[in-house]
Amino acid sequence: MTLKKPYIVAGPCSVESRQQLETIVKQLSALEEVSLIRCGVWKPRTRPGGFEGLGVTALQWMAELRQQLPCKVAFACEVARPEHVDAALHYGIDTVWVGARTTANPFLVQELSEALRGWEGTVLIKNAPSPDVQLWMGAIERFHQAGIKNLIAVHRGFDLYQNDGYRNSPLWEIPIELRRSMPDLPILCDPSHIAGKREPIAKLSQTAMDLGFDGLMIEVHPDPDNALTDAAQQITTDALHLLLQTLTIRSTDSGTLDEQLQLLRSQIDSLDDQLLHILAARSDKAMQIAQVKAQGNMAVFQPGRWDSLLHQRMAAADELGLDKDFVKALFEKIHSESVRIQTEAIKN
Ligand code: PEP
Ligand code: MN
């Protein structure tokens, strides 16, 4: 499918009241960059007891607003059950999205694709929380097989056992792999759910543009601090406007060497960012080890452990085709930093 680029989807995490919906829809429909307004109406909550969305009531308000507003607005909502699909279609929704937790469940994806069979609207498919490109591709294929022509993937980051400062780690290599496997499929980035807080959203959006994503899905709320869901990561319409104005859009047709170089460099930047986060997590572990060693009155430097570690790392490096001398020198540096950190820690 061909999209206006960058394709910008913006709107609240959840519809909370008619007033909140009207305010945000009026604000966002005045921004020409915004193509689609996202409105969560059924909210998947990790634990029970929180705000679970207004369901059909919100869909009704959206349908009424669509009639009342002078300009045409397109709406998207999340669907997680076939009954949601029926209601969303009944109220004339333009686009539906499949949330991360649903993508993880092929039975549900199959049911949703059956409920949507032959629909001419657009389906956005978020990646599953686990870093598994196959699961993401499988969901896309199920909708494709149900005759849905307008499919768009949404990268919302991955839930790792040890997240690196983000709510959901970006692991950019996964959407890059999706692009390689399905080159005609548009991919949006959802920096709001990757970040979990406001500050990194602009930088993540730029990285997505540098990597050739087709657009962004960003959570926007008239009063983010008081939002009923995802308050920390929602931004105001003014902040969105500023973000979009400062975004550098890159061409992806890699016509010139310069553009190819730019794309490769931003991929290197993203990998370096991951390397630094991994080093920070490793230093953290070294501190914890120092405490355990101090409790057992053990020496910081344990030659047996260091020899076997170096041996294992060099063998693993060799399998990956990395130069052994380079990897040896790198781990000697990393190890001596770990010894320094532990020595400092036991002094304090
Ligand atoms: C959302 O978009 O509000 C949402 C619940 O996102 P995700 O499925 O990515 O967690
Ligand atoms: Mn949300």
Side-chain angles (χ1 to χ4, degrees):
M1 70 183 292
T2 39
L3 290 179
K4 173 184 170 191
K5 283 209 195 163
Y7 186 73
I8 305 296
V9 184
C13 179
S14 311
V15 175
E16 300 168 1
S17 67
R18 183 157 187 145
Q19 178 63 45
Q20 174 243 17
L21 177 69
E22 278 191 28
T23 308
I24 200 69
V25 169
K26 280 188 188 139
Q27 289 176 357
L28 291 174
S29 55
L31 290 190
E32 60 167 336
E33 297 93 335
V34 176
S35 295
L36 180 66
I37 302 186
R38 58 151 287 153
C39 292
V41 306
W42 293 285
K43 299 308 298 176
R45 305 314 301 269
T46 305
R47 299 188 58 189
F51 175 68
E52 296 193 331
L54 299 177
V56 170
T57 309
L59 288 176
Q60 222 159 353
W61 293 338
M62 284 148 72
E64 283 165 21
L65 265 181
R66 188 193 277 108
Q67 301 296 321
Q68 286 164 15
L69 284 171
C71 54
K72 190 175 160 8
V73 284
F75 285 111
C77 77
E78 175 171 353
V79 289
R81 314 191 51 81
E83 305 88 273
H84 296 167
V85 170
D86 295 343
L89 267 48
H90 176 79
Y91 286 101
I93 208 88
D94 305 275
T95 293
V96 294
W97 84 82
V98 179
R101 294 157 194 80
T102 309
T103 304
N105 182 339
F107 285 126
L108 258 184
V109 171
Q110 188 62 35
E111 282 183 26
L112 291 178
S113 65
E114 291 305 334
L116 283 162
R117 184 168 283 281
W119 188 48
E120 290 185 353
T122 302
V123 181
L124 310 182
I125 302 155
K126 291 197 170 197
N127 62 268
S130 54
D132 179 354
V133 75
Q134 299 292 328
L135 206 48
W136 201 2
M137 285 168 58
I140 294 157
E141 284 160 354
R142 285 179 202 276
F143 286 101
H144 183 71
Q145 284 172 5
I148 310 290
K149 294 200 179 62
N150 302 321
L151 293 171
I152 304 179
V154 181
H155 167 233
R156 50 76 82 193
F158 301 90
D159 189 8
L160 300 186
Y161 172 62
Q162 194 174 53
N163 274 342
D164 43 14
Y166 296 108
R167 178 179 180 189
N168 293 296
S169 301
L171 302 183
W172 297 103
E173 63 276 17
I174 294 193
I176 288 170
E177 174 57 24
L178 182 70
R179 166 64 36 97
R180 207 188 55 73
S181 307
M182 299 182 160
D184 298 328
L185 179 77
I187 310 180
L188 311 181
C189 175
D190 171 349
S192 310
H193 287 88
I194 294 176
K197 48 186 189 274
R198 280 166 213 139
E199 298 71 24
I201 293 177
K203 188 166 175 275
L204 286 164
S205 302
Q206 186 59 56
T207 303
M209 293 300 102
D210 295 346
L211 292 174
F213 278 62
D214 301 274
L216 300 166
M217 184 185 205
I218 299 186
E219 287 191 336
V220 184
H221 190 285
D223 180 11
D225 284 336
N226 292 306
L228 297 183
T229 54
D230 287 348
Q233 71 193 31
Q234 300 206 60
I235 59 173
T236 60
T237 305
D238 283 347
L240 174 73
H241 189 45
L242 184 67
L243 184 156
L244 295 174
Q245 280 181 324
T246 45
L247 211 56
T248 306
I249 311 300
R250 308 203 191 279
S251 149
T252 47
D253 53 22
S254 56
T256 67
L257 287 179
D258 214 31
E259 279 161 2
Q260 285 182 31
L261 203 58
Q262 204 133 42
L263 186 63
L264 288 166
R265 283 190 177 140
S266 53
Q267 290 171 348
I268 290 267
D269 287 348
S270 150
L271 289 168
D272 283 352
D273 191 45
Q274 288 178 44
L275 264 178
L276 289 171
H277 278 100
I278 290 170
L279 285 174
R282 197 184 193 283
S283 298
D284 208 44
K285 289 289 162 227
M287 292 285 277
Q288 291 173 25
I289 287 180
Q291 267 136 29
V292 175
K293 284 181 182 164
Q295 275 167 22
N297 206 20
M298 288 163 74
V300 161
F301 181 54
Q302 302 277 331
R305 161 72 182 152
W306 167 234
D307 287 347
S308 82
L309 181 152
L310 190 60
H311 189 73
Q312 284 170 15
R313 301 301 181 269
M314 284 175 67
D318 198 32
E319 275 189 27
L320 290 168
L322 290 165
D323 182 84
K324 275 187 170 179
D325 290 338
F326 160 68
V327 172
K328 183 164 182 274
L330 183 66
F331 272 95
E332 279 166 355
K333 274 268 177 224
I334 290 175
H335 182 254
S336 70
E337 175 63 1
S338 176
V339 170
R340 186 192 68 76
I341 289 172
Q342 294 186 38
T343 318
E344 287 294 311
I346 52 171
K347 272 195 221 148
N348 301 322

